[in-house]
Amino acid sequence: MSMTHTVTTMTPQSGTTLLVNLAGAIALLLWGSHMISTALQRGFGTPLRHWMGHHLSSRWMALLAGIGITGLLQSSTAVSLMATSFTAAGTLSLAPALAVMLGANVGSTLVVQLMSFNTAIAIPLLILSGFVVFKMRDHSGFESAGCALIGLGLMLLALSLLSATLGHIENTEVFSAVMQGLEGDTLIALMVAIILTLVCHSSVAVILLIASLAATGVMTPVTAMVLVLGANIGGALPPVLNAGSAVARRLPLGNLLVRGAGCVFALALMPLLSHVAAGLALTTPQLVVWFHTAFSAVLAGVFIGLTGPLARVLERIFPEEQPAADAEMPVYLDETGLDVAYIGLSNSVRESLRLADMLNLMLERLRTLFKTADNQSAAEIRRLDHSLDGLSAAIRAYLADLGQEGLSDSDADRAQEILMFVINIEHAGDILSTSLTELATRRARRNAPFSDVELHNIGLLHTEILNSQRLAVTAFLGEDLSAAHQLVSRKEVIRQIEARASREHFKNLRDDKNAWAESGDIFQRVLRDYRRVHHHIAAVAYPVIDRLSDDATDTRK
């Protein structure tokens, strides 16, 4: 293995030109890493998210999942965001999520190992093959895979440019002064690597940059290892700083604590590590790569048995937050989730479930209002509807921002399902607030309460709508095709209850013509409006049925 790349003979250049070339090469390296991560997340992030949600039953399985998924996505930060979204949603406990992060740290070293080979011939092949695959747009997966291949080629090209540029810079007085400033000053070297990684948001890119610098021969093994430790700490900082809630901070902070503890011990053992490194037949660039791998592997081996106690400590430090006092204010729409489609979609789903809870509460208040003339219940229904409308608008705006970076076909379909869920719940709430609440209070103002027969039929409809509401949440949240079909079939149940109640009501009023003016019209409108509410609830099923039926057809093909 060698960190050397083909270096084209170049004429002497000015310091400004060298700095511009260096900055351009680093920018190209970061952009290539960004292309790989975003393309693979957009194309394959959702299937990986589903797989993680169903197969992380043990810490060892979680560790292997972290290694494999990070090796595929080439971004431990992406895996951290993915696992954080599961822990925040309560679908993945913190202990296996910490094991995922231990694996993710090991998986990111595999990327560095791959990049450390002399792959000059692979650069044009990767870019060319990526372009060809990208043009095969019959499926969004081809576009994502093509972008990832091009990004990998750009990263290798950037490393080649870095090697060429650093070959000229190593003899300059400024570069020598900078490297001498790092030598022997562990704290300065550590802080430089932390800050550089924090700015770049890519520990992989910084480790590769350190290896390229080490290839110039002006860096001692000790300085190289200290810089690697700093890059590991810096790589764990962005998820902590971007976390939007206390619960979301648990996992990234746990990962930071693990890396920080490892760095403290490694610095304390640096004289011994330096002695061991001197006895190895490794060049300094190779030492950078292997030390980075060994550091993450040792941490995984040590802390895999401590994920449970660490999880309990983090849960005590960051307890579950209380819901917002204003129900209209979003709780889960974290702006950092907009950068990763499946996390933004998960946030939108969690917020949408709050809408369903509000609708259920409105239904309960409405049942009370039909039984007794309660002005407080009517006011509560209108207040809840106002909050429901405000939260619905926030979710729709969030979904609109999520689509600016482009979505895969499956993510776009899921976003459409969420949007339709939100719109239909909002419409159902409007009917409860503006029509049914008004009808209930109108009977009270006329001093003509609903009869026992009328309340019985209203109660039947009410119960069936609550059952359909639970089915709608199951179909939407679990993407459950069976529940979606059951929900649609229940429209006939509601129609039959409405027809039977209407016939019974007409029969009871047949001999009492005056009673019609007091109750007949209002009761018939109540029946109609309940059926309208159920129509919007049942409409949640159709996008789920359309997408999952198409997926099943594609699978059979």
Side-chain angles (χ1 to χ4, degrees):
M1 178 168 47
S2 173
M3 286 301 302
T4 59
H5 295 269
T6 303
V7 179
T8 305
T9 303
M10 301 172 63
T11 57
Q13 302 177 36
S14 67
T16 301
T17 302
L18 289 173
L19 287 177
V20 170
N21 288 338
L22 180 62
I26 294 174
L28 185 62
L29 181 65
L30 293 173
W31 179 248
S33 176
H34 174 76
M35 280 188 66
I36 295 173
S37 178
T38 55
L40 291 177
Q41 287 179 64
R42 184 170 60 247
F44 309 103
T46 297
L48 289 174
R49 176 175 62 87
H50 285 301
W51 187 89
M52 284 182 64
H54 293 89
H55 294 86
L56 300 186
S57 56
S58 69
R59 60 188 179 186
W60 292 105
M61 189 65 183
L63 178 71
L64 294 175
I67 295 173
I69 295 176
T70 305
L72 176 63
L73 297 182
Q74 303 202 18
S75 173
S76 59
T77 301
V79 177
S80 174
L81 291 172
M82 190 184 299
T84 298
S85 71
F86 279 119
T87 56
T91 56
L92 178 64
S93 60
L94 187 56
L98 288 168
V100 169
M101 287 312 305
L102 292 175
N105 296 336
V106 175
S108 67
T109 68
L110 301 179
V111 182
V112 176
Q113 291 279 358
L114 174 65
M115 295 292 178
S116 65
F117 288 96
N118 189 343
T119 52
I121 188 60
I123 296 173
L125 294 177
L126 284 170
I127 295 177
L128 177 60
S129 59
F131 176 77
V132 173
V133 173
F134 178 82
K135 299 301 288 185
M136 300 169 61
R137 294 194 176 187
D138 292 339
H139 191 277
S140 60
F142 287 110
E143 182 176 344
S144 299
C147 286
L149 289 172
I150 294 173
L152 182 58
L154 292 179
M155 287 189 71
L156 295 176
L157 178 60
L159 289 174
S160 179
L161 294 175
L162 272 176
S163 297
T165 303
L166 290 173
H168 291 279
I169 290 180
E170 63 177 311
N171 296 321
T172 62
E173 295 181 1
V174 174
F175 182 76
S176 299
V178 170
M179 298 309 300
Q180 288 175 4
L182 296 179
E183 292 296 334
D185 197 328
T186 300
L187 182 60
I188 293 296
L190 191 70
M191 291 304 299
V192 166
I194 291 174
I195 295 172
L196 183 60
T197 310
L198 182 60
V199 171
C200 294
H201 275 60
S202 174
S203 59
V204 171
V206 173
I207 293 294
L208 292 172
L209 176 61
I210 294 171
S212 296
L213 288 171
T216 62
V218 296
M219 184 185 297
T220 64
V222 172
T223 300
M225 288 189 288
V226 171
L227 289 173
V228 169
L229 295 177
N232 274 272
I233 295 178
L237 283 175
V240 176
L241 299 177
N242 294 332
S245 65
V247 175
R249 291 190 190 99
R250 292 173 178 171
L251 180 60
L253 184 61
N255 183 45
L256 177 61
L257 290 175
V258 169
R259 291 199 194 189
C263 287
V264 169
F265 280 103
L267 290 173
L269 297 175
M270 191 54 67
L272 176 61
L273 294 175
S274 175
H275 179 72
V276 172
L280 297 175
L282 295 175
T283 63
T284 306
Q286 291 173 336
L287 177 64
V288 168
V289 174
W290 283 105
F291 178 68
H292 178 51
T293 301
F295 177 77
S296 296
V298 169
L299 286 183
V302 171
F303 282 93
I304 188 65
L306 301 175
T307 53
L310 180 58
R312 289 190 289 272
V313 170
L314 291 169
E315 287 167 352
R316 283 197 295 268
I317 296 175
F318 298 103
E320 189 78 30
E321 294 175 328
Q322 295 298 321
D326 186 356
E328 182 178 347
M329 296 300 295
V331 176
Y332 306 112
L333 299 184
D334 190 347
E335 290 187 4
T336 58
L338 294 173
D339 296 332
V340 184
Y342 53 80
I343 295 177
L345 292 173
S346 297
N347 293 342
S348 302
V349 168
R350 296 179 69 197
E351 206 69 66
S352 300
L353 295 180
R354 292 185 62 212
L355 293 180
D357 291 338
M358 290 181 190
L359 186 66
N360 284 338
L361 190 55
M362 292 174 69
L363 285 165
E364 291 302 322
R365 295 292 184 271
L366 184 64
R367 173 177 283 179
T368 301
L369 189 60
F370 276 120
K371 292 179 180 179
T372 60
D374 184 1
N375 291 331
Q376 185 177 356
S377 293
E380 178 71 3
I381 291 171
R382 294 188 179 98
R383 185 191 65 77
L384 285 168
D385 184 56
H386 177 77
S387 298
L388 191 151
D389 291 343
L391 186 56
S392 173
I395 297 172
R396 294 198 305 270
Y398 189 81
L399 289 171
D401 291 338
L402 184 66
Q404 289 181 356
E405 295 279 331
L407 298 174
S408 67
D409 293 342
S410 60
D411 287 338
D413 290 341
R414 184 57 171 162
Q416 183 66 21
E417 289 174 16
I418 298 171
L419 181 62
M420 295 306 298
F421 181 87
V422 169
I423 290 174
N424 280 293
I425 293 295
E426 182 180 2
H427 286 338
D430 289 339
I431 297 171
L432 293 179
S433 174
T434 60
S435 184
L436 283 168
T437 299
E438 175 61 25
L439 293 173
T441 56
R442 185 184 301 176
R443 285 287 292 269
R445 287 196 301 267
R446 294 181 179 180
N447 197 25
F450 290 93
S451 67
D452 291 341
V453 175
E454 290 172 332
L455 289 176
H456 172 72
N457 286 308
I458 290 173
L460 289 177
L461 281 171
H462 204 96
T463 300
E464 294 301 327
I465 285 178
L466 286 174
N467 291 336
S468 292
Q469 171 76 344
R470 285 190 285 271
L471 269 177
V473 171
T474 300
F476 170 70
L477 179 62
E479 301 177 54
D480 190 325
L481 185 59
S482 175
H485 282 300
Q486 290 181 52
L487 180 57
V488 172
S489 67
R490 289 180 59 80
K491 293 175 67 176
E492 179 61 20
V493 175
I494 297 296
R495 190 198 66 78
Q496 291 177 1
I497 292 176
E498 180 195 14
R500 186 168 57 250
S502 181
R503 287 194 302 269
E504 184 178 0
H505 187 68
F506 277 117
K507 180 180 179 181
N508 292 337
L509 295 177
R510 187 177 302 160
D511 299 327
D512 188 356
K513 305 300 182 182
N514 294 327
W516 173 261
E518 295 296 328
S519 64
D521 179 64
I522 290 180
F523 181 70
Q524 293 297 326
R525 292 173 64 183
V526 167
L527 296 178
R528 179 204 62 189
D529 285 342
Y530 263 112
R531 187 175 180 183
R532 288 171 59 204
V533 170
H534 188 270
H535 169 78
H536 287 295
I537 293 174
V540 170
Y542 292 109
V544 178
I545 291 173
D546 290 343
R547 180 171 65 86
L548 296 183
S549 297
D550 290 342
D551 290 345
T553 301
D554 293 340
T555 301
R556 287 194 295 270
K557 290 179 179 179

